[in-house]
Amino acid sequence: MTDQALIDRLREVAIFRGLDEKELHRIVEVGKEVRFDPGKVVAEQDGGAAGFHLILDGEVSVDVSGRERARLRSGQYFGEMSLIDGKPRSATVRAEAPTTTFALTSWQFLPLLDEYPSISRALLVELSARLRRVEQDPVQ
């Protein structure tokens, strides 16, 4: 994917939406595209916080303690919680189809939060929305 196409994709994601062209270029510079075959574990529950992933193409399942909690597709992301708090992964994420993500490691992602506070604010809104959804889920 070209840098401009990736920037256009980043603009569609809530946590990057308010950033200007220069800021988006900076994010593209530090991240990389990663491909996963179906069945490949991208992140392991209780494992280390290796990276944030924005799904460019494909589909992943999100399992918590062996129970599927979500399916994520193009434009959705995962991995931000462990990067923020440094704790082990809260879920296992597995590619369900050929999947390509735009990935940022913790040492790339955390400085971006300091550099661009609007990303931090957007993440707080998203994490709050997720918590509200979990609190409303009668089956836990």
Side-chain angles (χ1 to χ4, degrees), residues 4-137:
Q4 190 57 52
L6 188 50
I7 287 170
D8 292 342
R9 294 292 296 274
L10 290 174
R11 274 196 187 98
E12 297 171 7
V13 178
I15 64 171
F16 300 121
R17 195 169 289 137
L19 301 181
D20 65 27
E21 192 80 11
K22 177 184 162 201
E23 294 165 332
L24 292 168
H25 269 287
R26 177 76 177 108
I27 292 168
V28 169
E29 284 175 5
V30 300
K32 69 176 186 174
E33 285 186 43
V34 184
R35 290 175 176 73
F36 300 96
D37 292 328
K40 175 73 174 168
V41 172
V42 180
E44 185 77 41
Q45 184 172 352
D46 298 323
F52 164 89
H53 293 267
L54 167 64
I55 301 169
L56 299 175
D57 292 298
E59 178 180 25
V60 301
S61 60
V62 180
D63 298 336
V64 177
S65 300
R67 179 174 167 232
E68 186 172 307
R69 299 291 294 181
R71 291 273 175 138
L72 304 177
R73 294 172 183 82
S74 181
Q76 296 179 295
Y77 56 89
F78 59 92
E80 74 287 353
M81 287 174 30
S82 290
L83 289 181
I84 291 168
D85 66 11
K87 304 279 188 202
R89 298 282 189 179
S90 62
T92 294
V93 179
R94 182 182 323 277
E96 295 297 331
T99 299
T100 303
T101 70
F102 175 72
L104 294 165
T105 63
S106 60
W107 55 91
Q108 296 164 325
F109 188 81
L110 293 175
L112 290 174
L113 296 180
D114 293 333
E115 196 172 345
Y116 307 116
S118 60
I119 297 174
S120 296
R121 284 190 300 275
L123 275 172
L124 287 171
V125 169
E126 175 62 21
L127 291 174
S128 294
R130 287 184 189 180
L131 180 58
R132 288 181 189 277
R133 285 192 298 271
V134 167
E135 288 173 341
Q136 293 173 357
D137 185 356

